[in-house]
Amino acid sequence: MHSLWLIPIFPLVGFLINGMLGRRFSKTVINTVAVGSVVLSFLWVLKALSALAPLNETYVEHYFTWISSGTLDIGFDFAIDRLTMVMLLVVTGIGSLIHVYATGYMAHEGGYYRFFAYLNLFMFFMLTLVLAANYVLLFVGWEGVGLCSYLLIGFYFLKKSASDAGKKAFIVNRIGDFGFSLAMFLIVISFGTLDFQKVFAKASTISPEVQYGSITTICLLLLVGAIGKSAQIPLYVWLPDAMEGPTPVSALIHAATMVTAGVYMIARSATLFERAPIAMDVVAYIGLATAVMAATIGLVQNDIKKVYAYSTVSQLGYMFLGCGVGAFSAGIWHVVTHAFFKALLFLGAGSVIHACAGEQDMQKMGGLMKKIPITFAVLFIAAMAIAGVPPLSGHYSKDAILMAAHARAPWMYWVGVVTAGMTAFYVFRSIFLTFFGEYRGKAHPHESPAVMWVPLAVLAVLSLIGGYAFNIPEFLSPVLPMHGGVHDESLATIATAAGLAGILLAAICYLFVPSIPGALASAFAPIYQTLYDKYYVDELYNVSIVKPIANGSREILWKGADVGVFDALVNGAGTTSMALGGLLRKMQSGNLRTYASWVLIGILLVMGGFAVYGGAK
Amino acid sequence: MPANFMPSAAEYFRFAPEIILTIVGTLVMILEAMTGDRDKSSLGYVSLLGLAAAMAAAVAANNDPGLAFQSMIIVDGFATFFRVLVLGVGMLTILVSTNYLSEAKANSGDFYALILFSVVGQSLMACANELIMIFIGIEISSIASYILAGYLRDDRRNNESALKYFLMGSFATAFLLYGVAWIYGLTGSTNLGEIRTVLSHGTAPTAMVGISAALMLVGLAFKVSAAPFQVWAPDVYQGSSAPISAFMSAGPKAAAFAVMVRVFYTSFDSISNQWEPVFWIMSLATMVIGNFAALQQRNIKRMLAYSSIAHAGYVMVAVTSHSAVGTAAVMFYLASYCLMNIGAFAVVTWMARDGEKFVEVDDFSGLAQKQPFVTAILTVLILSLVGVPLTGGFFGKFLVFKAAIDSHLMWLAILGLLNSAVAAYYYLRVLVVMYFREPGASTVNLPPVAGTLRVAMLVTTLGTIALGIFPGLILGFATQSSTLGK
């Protein structure tokens, strides 16, 4: 036994300590507990991994039978294989860095202990999700991270927009979770188990389906769950709003870890998806569409965190594309590199916001290069990485996905390349607007303290070398077979060129000829406005779904059904019950002789019963 | 006379829990006489140790299951489960009692000895394989309980309670004994297995077998407070001291259910077509009377008394299903019931204070503002009594109704579920009062929660939660043990 359970338990203990007693603790104690517990997890992951290397087989720890119902047995089991190992390292490694950063970022915020308690709780659920050896336990983590996401988005709960954003995230995720639950039911019906190894063993004896079948349905339902959690079309709307949460939360939950849970879940279920070609296609289409759509929105946003939020949605689309074309390991590779550079982008953005005293509008920044040089340096690296500039991390994973897409259908590759160009453009737009030119704000920008920039520096190094150093697809080859994606130099060069072109274009528009963006915006005003208003999707949902449901609930369900029918029924039942209760109370006179007579009557009844049923035989 | 009249060491080993308890109980009485006027809490701790030792012996005895003393005793998983359960109930009762007794200036070794002796009887009931042993177990348990019910002899309510309990109890036990006499006359044996063998031949007159079964059922139904023999329970639980009500509503009831299952599943297996319909009606009547009468109660002890009647009804549903699943459900339900009921009475004990002045539901008004810890404890326990998921009460109900459905008792399951909806009303009223009312006179000068009482509250609450999240903890053992050793 390698006591895998310790990995999630450390943060859980941290949550319990800080959550219950944190109010009375000094910040130093809270920091030690919160950061220490996550670092302990990270160390325990390293220890377990070194003990388990090279981990060619899945290693399972069974703790106890959790649910046993008829033939269905669900164990409280943790399992670790190479895929889990990658995720564990990302979650605990990046998690540790972000916890450290947060001690600096949140230093002046109220509810300090609450923040770190939630953050630790999130780590607990995320690690449970990753370590789970069956769908149910994964679902526990899945729901748990959703809860923590809700709590942390609405951390500034006195601000209405923050609490609304929290609710939106929660409700939108319910739709996905509903799909996930249905998928689990169907898995039980089809395979009689929810254990990963058993499900996949049974599934691999089935030849790949061509038409709609139960595996296709299962995969599509799983996909619905993944779409909700990983913010894909049509359920992506919650993620941009989730930026209402503190920036370390955006970095940890809404960029590096939780939102990639959908990708992880699909990769985990690769055996099923490989047998459901139609579902695979749907994954690829949704991913690609989301990548493009979110990138176009990102082109014109002015809030620095919104830009990166749409960028996250777009990059998650890439990961889905990778999984959908069969390159699951490329998708996971992008999960890893994206965790590096997107966490860095968010934390860097946090540093910028911190420096500008809470300002998030890039129109009111500029010229920060000299004032916060470290932040500038690390953000620049992150931007290069996401733009796919070789040899930075993003270059490798993005290439792997695009190659696989080309092998599946060349047009997907080309759409992906255009998106890569747009990605480079909007990311460098944010860099140029923030750090170059003249400062347009009113605050007095200052560099962040060391606890904030040291994690940034580590992430910057990872973003620099993370792609070259960690060849994830090769590492994952025993778990996730790599499909297609023969490396083609000319295709790679085109993709890189698209990224560089995007950077160049951004430089022209925002450094050299600053009049271009305004001119373009007014020349193509309808398009610009549509993009700026995010294709009016929120408004569309509001009119087509939210309003009808709200009105229907109020007029029909509440005033009609609830008040008119159910309340009346319940009140009637209540009155009747009470009357019956009163009658029964009269049995209880307190008089012994009455009681004795009751007993006597009872005896006659019981004996009569026996006589009747005995005689009937 | 059988050749092996002298019992072997293994047989004594199987009977060790009862032996240990009897010795410790006697020891506590001697110590009581020797310690004079000093504080007697230490005798409580001695008793706790004795119970713990007996529990260890019960668990150890299960490693070598089998019969003892000419088949009068049987040690199997089922017996072990109930032995551990009643021993645990004894321990919790002592934890709940010590501080209460000190406050009432009635802390004495007699009390602890009586608890120990009562538990001896229940433990014997759990492992008895013979009707006379069962009768002796019931009597040992009951006589100690009668005294405990009237333990505070200066309290008028205690006296009334004890007298009622004694008279009604004797009345009912007489019927049990009468039934035993009949069955001996019919089969020539009091051994459960032998009775089963004789009855399965079908030579004994059915009507007379039915009458003897009915008579025994009356005695047992009284002990578990099943309708129509529940009338004593509300008066007795209300009149006794709260810790004793906790004890009486848990230990004797669980042991009596163990006997009921063993006797009817083993000996009267072949006439199940006679008793199953009677159980069906009794379980429904018990649930209905318990739940509906509880609706109107203002006194929380009386409400809990009716609620415990209702819970007996749910257990009866599982007994009625007459299957291995049903047996496992009985076991699981009683374990979680004992935890949550003792926990709830522990809170009542704390709230009532010396002289039990504050025992109305309304006395809990605004408790959430004054004592969040106890409020949280009672909230969990009440949610469990209602049967909300993530609590032991939920899984207990789930298993009971699953057993009923598996045995095609669809209507009983439906009516039982409707009943548990009614129950939500009177339970949740306590929560409403605690959280949404303003504090009144009863919450002024709240006493601190004594250490032992706090332990009891935490153990019951955490146990309830543990059973709700990880039912496998005991369900696995219950399922294994559900085929009784015959």
Side-chain angles (χ1 to χ4, degrees), chain B residues 76-121:
Chain B
D76 54 7
F78 184 77
T80 306
F81 186 93
F82 278 99
R83 270 177 160 179
V84 171
L85 183 58
V86 295
L87 290 164
V89 166
M91 293 168 93
L92 287 171
T93 306
I94 290 177
L95 288 173
V96 174
S97 308
T98 42
N99 188 61
Y100 180 91
L101 293 172
S102 300
E103 300 265 307
K105 306 207 172 32
N107 204 347
S108 136
D110 306 343
F111 179 88
Y112 301 114
L114 284 168
I115 294 275
L116 290 175
F117 292 144
S118 184
V119 173
V120 171

Short mmCIF file of all heavy atoms in Angstrom, two decimals, chain B residues 76-121:
data_model
loop_
_atom_site.label_atom_id
_atom_site.label_comp_id
_atom_site.label_asym_id
_atom_site.label_seq_id
_atom_site.Cartn_x
_atom_site.Cartn_y
_atom_site.Cartn_z
N ASP B 76 -23.68 -16.75 17.22
CA ASP B 76 -23.49 -16.61 15.77
C ASP B 76 -23.37 -15.12 15.48
O ASP B 76 -23.37 -14.30 16.40
CB ASP B 76 -24.67 -17.25 15.01
CG ASP B 76 -26.02 -16.71 15.44
OD1 ASP B 76 -26.04 -15.75 16.24
OD2 ASP B 76 -27.05 -17.25 15.00
N GLY B 77 -23.21 -14.77 14.21
CA GLY B 77 -23.04 -13.36 13.86
C GLY B 77 -24.19 -12.51 14.35
O GLY B 77 -24.01 -11.40 14.86
N PHE B 78 -25.40 -13.07 14.23
CA PHE B 78 -26.60 -12.33 14.64
C PHE B 78 -26.55 -12.03 16.14
O PHE B 78 -26.78 -10.89 16.57
CB PHE B 78 -27.81 -13.21 14.31
CG PHE B 78 -29.14 -12.57 14.57
CD1 PHE B 78 -29.65 -11.62 13.70
CD2 PHE B 78 -29.89 -12.92 15.68
CE1 PHE B 78 -30.89 -11.05 13.93
CE2 PHE B 78 -31.12 -12.34 15.91
CZ PHE B 78 -31.62 -11.41 15.04
N ALA B 79 -26.21 -13.04 16.95
CA ALA B 79 -26.12 -12.84 18.39
C ALA B 79 -25.04 -11.83 18.72
O ALA B 79 -25.23 -10.92 19.54
CB ALA B 79 -25.84 -14.16 19.09
N THR B 80 -23.89 -11.95 18.05
CA THR B 80 -22.79 -11.04 18.33
C THR B 80 -23.18 -9.60 18.01
O THR B 80 -22.89 -8.67 18.77
CB THR B 80 -21.57 -11.45 17.49
OG1 THR B 80 -21.29 -12.81 17.75
CG2 THR B 80 -20.38 -10.59 17.82
N PHE B 81 -23.86 -9.44 16.88
CA PHE B 81 -24.28 -8.10 16.49
C PHE B 81 -25.11 -7.46 17.59
O PHE B 81 -24.87 -6.32 18.01
CB PHE B 81 -25.08 -8.19 15.19
CG PHE B 81 -25.45 -6.85 14.60
CD1 PHE B 81 -24.64 -6.25 13.65
CD2 PHE B 81 -26.60 -6.19 15.01
CE1 PHE B 81 -24.98 -5.03 13.12
CE2 PHE B 81 -26.94 -4.96 14.48
CZ PHE B 81 -26.12 -4.39 13.53
N PHE B 82 -26.10 -8.20 18.08
CA PHE B 82 -26.99 -7.61 19.08
C PHE B 82 -26.32 -7.48 20.44
O PHE B 82 -26.60 -6.56 21.19
CB PHE B 82 -28.29 -8.41 19.17
CG PHE B 82 -29.25 -8.01 18.10
CD1 PHE B 82 -29.39 -8.76 16.95
CD2 PHE B 82 -29.99 -6.84 18.21
CE1 PHE B 82 -30.25 -8.36 15.95
CE2 PHE B 82 -30.86 -6.44 17.22
CZ PHE B 82 -30.98 -7.21 16.07
N ARG B 83 -25.42 -8.43 20.75
CA ARG B 83 -24.67 -8.27 21.99
C ARG B 83 -23.89 -6.96 21.97
O ARG B 83 -23.96 -6.16 22.90
CB ARG B 83 -23.68 -9.43 22.15
CG ARG B 83 -24.23 -10.63 22.87
CD ARG B 83 -23.16 -11.68 22.86
NE ARG B 83 -23.35 -12.69 23.87
CZ ARG B 83 -22.53 -13.74 24.03
NH1 ARG B 83 -21.48 -13.86 23.24
NH2 ARG B 83 -22.75 -14.63 24.96
N VAL B 84 -23.13 -6.75 20.88
CA VAL B 84 -22.34 -5.53 20.79
C VAL B 84 -23.25 -4.31 20.83
O VAL B 84 -22.94 -3.30 21.47
CB VAL B 84 -21.49 -5.54 19.50
CG1 VAL B 84 -20.82 -4.20 19.27
CG2 VAL B 84 -20.44 -6.65 19.57
N LEU B 85 -24.40 -4.43 20.18
CA LEU B 85 -25.32 -3.29 20.16
C LEU B 85 -25.81 -2.95 21.56
O LEU B 85 -25.75 -1.79 21.98
CB LEU B 85 -26.49 -3.60 19.23
CG LEU B 85 -27.52 -2.49 19.04
CD1 LEU B 85 -26.86 -1.23 18.50
CD2 LEU B 85 -28.61 -2.92 18.07
N VAL B 86 -26.30 -3.94 22.31
CA VAL B 86 -26.85 -3.61 23.64
C VAL B 86 -25.73 -3.18 24.59
O VAL B 86 -25.95 -2.32 25.45
CB VAL B 86 -27.66 -4.79 24.24
CG1 VAL B 86 -28.89 -5.07 23.42
CG2 VAL B 86 -26.83 -6.03 24.41
N LEU B 87 -24.53 -3.74 24.41
CA LEU B 87 -23.41 -3.29 25.24
C LEU B 87 -23.07 -1.84 24.93
O LEU B 87 -22.83 -1.03 25.84
CB LEU B 87 -22.20 -4.19 25.01
CG LEU B 87 -22.34 -5.62 25.55
CD1 LEU B 87 -21.29 -6.53 24.94
CD2 LEU B 87 -22.22 -5.62 27.06
N GLY B 88 -23.09 -1.51 23.64
CA GLY B 88 -22.85 -0.13 23.25
C GLY B 88 -23.91 0.80 23.82
O GLY B 88 -23.61 1.90 24.30
N VAL B 89 -25.16 0.35 23.77
CA VAL B 89 -26.25 1.16 24.34
C VAL B 89 -25.99 1.39 25.83
O VAL B 89 -26.15 2.51 26.33
CB VAL B 89 -27.60 0.46 24.13
CG1 VAL B 89 -28.68 1.10 24.98
CG2 VAL B 89 -28.00 0.50 22.67
N GLY B 90 -25.53 0.34 26.52
CA GLY B 90 -25.22 0.49 27.94
C GLY B 90 -24.15 1.55 28.17
O GLY B 90 -24.27 2.41 29.05
N MET B 91 -23.10 1.51 27.35
CA MET B 91 -22.02 2.48 27.50
C MET B 91 -22.53 3.90 27.27
O MET B 91 -22.24 4.82 28.04
CB MET B 91 -20.88 2.16 26.52
CG MET B 91 -20.18 0.86 26.83
SD MET B 91 -19.09 0.32 25.49
CE MET B 91 -17.58 1.03 26.03
N LEU B 92 -23.28 4.08 26.19
CA LEU B 92 -23.79 5.42 25.89
C LEU B 92 -24.69 5.90 27.02
O LEU B 92 -24.66 7.07 27.40
CB LEU B 92 -24.54 5.40 24.56
CG LEU B 92 -23.66 5.28 23.32
CD1 LEU B 92 -24.50 5.05 22.08
CD2 LEU B 92 -22.82 6.54 23.14
N THR B 93 -25.52 4.99 27.56
CA THR B 93 -26.42 5.39 28.64
C THR B 93 -25.63 5.91 29.84
O THR B 93 -26.00 6.93 30.44
CB THR B 93 -27.27 4.19 29.07
OG1 THR B 93 -27.91 3.65 27.94
CG2 THR B 93 -28.31 4.61 30.10
N ILE B 94 -24.54 5.23 30.16
CA ILE B 94 -23.74 5.68 31.31
C ILE B 94 -23.14 7.05 31.02
O ILE B 94 -23.14 7.94 31.87
CB ILE B 94 -22.66 4.63 31.62
CG1 ILE B 94 -23.34 3.39 32.20
CG2 ILE B 94 -21.63 5.18 32.59
CD1 ILE B 94 -22.43 2.25 32.48
N LEU B 95 -22.65 7.22 29.78
CA LEU B 95 -22.08 8.52 29.43
C LEU B 95 -23.12 9.63 29.55
O LEU B 95 -22.83 10.74 29.98
CB LEU B 95 -21.53 8.49 28.00
CG LEU B 95 -20.24 7.70 27.80
CD1 LEU B 95 -19.88 7.60 26.33
CD2 LEU B 95 -19.09 8.36 28.56
N VAL B 96 -24.35 9.31 29.16
CA VAL B 96 -25.41 10.33 29.23
C VAL B 96 -25.80 10.57 30.69
O VAL B 96 -26.19 11.67 31.07
CB VAL B 96 -26.64 9.88 28.40
CG1 VAL B 96 -27.79 10.84 28.57
CG2 VAL B 96 -26.28 9.74 26.94
N SER B 97 -25.69 9.53 31.53
CA SER B 97 -26.28 9.61 32.87
C SER B 97 -25.42 10.32 33.90
O SER B 97 -25.95 11.03 34.75
CB SER B 97 -26.57 8.20 33.40
OG SER B 97 -27.32 7.49 32.48
N THR B 98 -24.09 10.09 33.89
CA THR B 98 -23.28 10.48 35.05
C THR B 98 -23.53 11.90 35.51
O THR B 98 -23.80 12.15 36.69
CB THR B 98 -21.77 10.31 34.77
OG1 THR B 98 -21.52 10.78 33.48
CG2 THR B 98 -21.34 8.88 34.91
N ASN B 99 -23.46 12.82 34.56
CA ASN B 99 -23.63 14.21 34.95
C ASN B 99 -25.04 14.49 35.45
O ASN B 99 -25.24 15.20 36.44
CB ASN B 99 -23.29 15.11 33.77
CG ASN B 99 -23.25 16.56 34.17
OD1 ASN B 99 -22.45 16.92 35.01
ND2 ASN B 99 -24.14 17.35 33.61
N TYR B 100 -26.01 13.87 34.77
CA TYR B 100 -27.41 14.05 35.16
C TYR B 100 -27.62 13.60 36.60
O TYR B 100 -28.26 14.28 37.40
CB TYR B 100 -28.28 13.23 34.21
CG TYR B 100 -29.77 13.30 34.49
CD1 TYR B 100 -30.55 14.27 33.87
CD2 TYR B 100 -30.37 12.40 35.34
CE1 TYR B 100 -31.91 14.33 34.11
CE2 TYR B 100 -31.73 12.45 35.59
CZ TYR B 100 -32.50 13.42 34.97
OH TYR B 100 -33.85 13.48 35.21
N LEU B 101 -27.03 12.45 36.95
CA LEU B 101 -27.20 11.91 38.29
C LEU B 101 -26.54 12.81 39.33
O LEU B 101 -27.09 13.05 40.40
CB LEU B 101 -26.62 10.50 38.36
CG LEU B 101 -27.36 9.46 37.52
CD1 LEU B 101 -26.61 8.16 37.50
CD2 LEU B 101 -28.77 9.25 38.07
N SER B 102 -25.33 13.31 38.99
CA SER B 102 -24.66 14.20 39.94
C SER B 102 -25.51 15.43 40.20
O SER B 102 -25.64 15.89 41.34
CB SER B 102 -23.30 14.61 39.40
OG SER B 102 -22.51 13.47 39.20
N GLU B 103 -26.09 15.98 39.13
CA GLU B 103 -26.94 17.17 39.28
C GLU B 103 -28.13 16.86 40.18
O GLU B 103 -28.53 17.68 41.01
CB GLU B 103 -27.45 17.62 37.91
CG GLU B 103 -26.37 17.97 36.94
CD GLU B 103 -26.08 19.45 36.92
OE1 GLU B 103 -27.03 20.22 36.76
OE2 GLU B 103 -24.91 19.83 37.10
N ALA B 104 -28.70 15.66 39.97
CA ALA B 104 -29.89 15.29 40.75
C ALA B 104 -29.50 14.77 42.13
O ALA B 104 -30.37 14.32 42.87
CB ALA B 104 -30.69 14.23 39.99
N LYS B 105 -28.20 14.80 42.44
CA LYS B 105 -27.67 14.29 43.71
C LYS B 105 -28.13 12.85 43.93
O LYS B 105 -28.55 12.47 45.01
CB LYS B 105 -28.12 15.17 44.88
CG LYS B 105 -27.76 16.62 44.65
CD LYS B 105 -27.57 17.40 45.88
CE LYS B 105 -27.02 18.78 45.59
NZ LYS B 105 -27.44 19.38 44.30
N ALA B 106 -28.08 12.08 42.88
CA ALA B 106 -28.52 10.69 42.96
C ALA B 106 -27.49 9.78 42.32
O ALA B 106 -27.80 8.69 41.88
CB ALA B 106 -29.87 10.53 42.28
N ASN B 107 -26.25 10.27 42.24
CA ASN B 107 -25.22 9.45 41.61
C ASN B 107 -24.83 8.34 42.57
O ASN B 107 -24.33 8.60 43.66
CB ASN B 107 -24.01 10.33 41.29
CG ASN B 107 -23.18 9.74 40.17
OD1 ASN B 107 -23.38 8.58 39.81
ND2 ASN B 107 -22.29 10.52 39.61
N SER B 108 -25.07 7.12 42.14
CA SER B 108 -24.81 6.01 43.04
C SER B 108 -24.47 4.76 42.25
O SER B 108 -24.87 4.61 41.09
CB SER B 108 -26.05 5.78 43.91
OG SER B 108 -26.32 4.41 44.01
N GLY B 109 -23.70 3.88 42.90
CA GLY B 109 -23.29 2.65 42.23
C GLY B 109 -24.47 1.77 41.87
O GLY B 109 -24.42 1.01 40.90
N ASP B 110 -25.56 1.87 42.64
CA ASP B 110 -26.73 1.04 42.36
C ASP B 110 -27.20 1.25 40.93
O ASP B 110 -27.56 0.32 40.22
CB ASP B 110 -27.90 1.41 43.29
CG ASP B 110 -27.48 1.34 44.74
OD1 ASP B 110 -26.44 0.72 45.00
OD2 ASP B 110 -28.19 1.91 45.58
N PHE B 111 -27.18 2.52 40.55
CA PHE B 111 -27.67 2.85 39.21
C PHE B 111 -26.86 2.11 38.16
O PHE B 111 -27.41 1.44 37.28
CB PHE B 111 -27.54 4.37 39.00
CG PHE B 111 -28.00 4.83 37.66
CD1 PHE B 111 -29.32 5.16 37.43
CD2 PHE B 111 -27.11 4.92 36.59
CE1 PHE B 111 -29.75 5.59 36.20
CE2 PHE B 111 -27.53 5.33 35.35
CZ PHE B 111 -28.85 5.67 35.16
N TYR B 112 -25.53 2.21 38.29
CA TYR B 112 -24.68 1.58 37.28
C TYR B 112 -24.83 0.07 37.30
O TYR B 112 -24.84 -0.59 36.26
CB TYR B 112 -23.22 1.99 37.49
CG TYR B 112 -23.04 3.48 37.41
CD1 TYR B 112 -22.66 4.22 38.52
CD2 TYR B 112 -23.30 4.15 36.22
CE1 TYR B 112 -22.52 5.59 38.45
CE2 TYR B 112 -23.16 5.52 36.14
CZ TYR B 112 -22.77 6.25 37.26
OH TYR B 112 -22.65 7.59 37.19
N ALA B 113 -24.93 -0.47 38.51
CA ALA B 113 -25.11 -1.92 38.61
C ALA B 113 -26.40 -2.35 37.93
O ALA B 113 -26.43 -3.35 37.20
CB ALA B 113 -25.10 -2.34 40.07
N LEU B 114 -27.46 -1.57 38.13
CA LEU B 114 -28.74 -1.91 37.51
C LEU B 114 -28.62 -1.87 35.98
O LEU B 114 -29.17 -2.72 35.28
CB LEU B 114 -29.83 -0.95 37.98
CG LEU B 114 -30.34 -1.21 39.40
CD1 LEU B 114 -31.18 -0.05 39.89
CD2 LEU B 114 -31.15 -2.50 39.42
N ILE B 115 -27.92 -0.85 35.49
CA ILE B 115 -27.70 -0.78 34.04
C ILE B 115 -26.98 -2.05 33.57
O ILE B 115 -27.37 -2.69 32.59
CB ILE B 115 -26.86 0.46 33.66
CG1 ILE B 115 -27.62 1.75 33.96
CG2 ILE B 115 -26.42 0.40 32.19
CD1 ILE B 115 -28.55 2.20 32.88
N LEU B 116 -25.90 -2.40 34.30
CA LEU B 116 -25.13 -3.58 33.91
C LEU B 116 -26.00 -4.83 33.92
O LEU B 116 -25.97 -5.64 32.99
CB LEU B 116 -23.94 -3.76 34.84
CG LEU B 116 -22.83 -2.71 34.70
CD1 LEU B 116 -21.76 -2.92 35.76
CD2 LEU B 116 -22.20 -2.78 33.32
N PHE B 117 -26.81 -4.99 34.96
CA PHE B 117 -27.64 -6.20 35.05
C PHE B 117 -28.68 -6.21 33.94
O PHE B 117 -28.96 -7.25 33.34
CB PHE B 117 -28.32 -6.28 36.42
CG PHE B 117 -27.34 -6.54 37.54
CD1 PHE B 117 -27.50 -5.97 38.78
CD2 PHE B 117 -26.23 -7.36 37.32
CE1 PHE B 117 -26.58 -6.21 39.80
CE2 PHE B 117 -25.31 -7.60 38.33
CZ PHE B 117 -25.48 -7.02 39.57
N SER B 118 -29.25 -5.04 33.68
CA SER B 118 -30.22 -4.98 32.60
C SER B 118 -29.57 -5.40 31.28
O SER B 118 -30.14 -6.14 30.48
CB SER B 118 -30.80 -3.57 32.50
OG SER B 118 -31.79 -3.52 31.53
N VAL B 119 -28.33 -4.92 31.07
CA VAL B 119 -27.63 -5.27 29.84
C VAL B 119 -27.31 -6.77 29.80
O VAL B 119 -27.35 -7.39 28.74
CB VAL B 119 -26.35 -4.41 29.67
CG1 VAL B 119 -25.53 -4.89 28.49
CG2 VAL B 119 -26.71 -2.96 29.49
N VAL B 120 -27.02 -7.36 30.97
CA VAL B 120 -26.81 -8.81 31.01
C VAL B 120 -28.02 -9.52 30.42
O VAL B 120 -27.90 -10.41 29.57
CB VAL B 120 -26.58 -9.30 32.47
CG1 VAL B 120 -26.58 -10.83 32.50
CG2 VAL B 120 -25.29 -8.78 33.02
N GLY B 121 -29.20 -9.09 30.89
CA GLY B 121 -30.42 -9.71 30.40
C GLY B 121 -30.56 -9.56 28.89
O GLY B 121 -30.89 -10.51 28.17
#
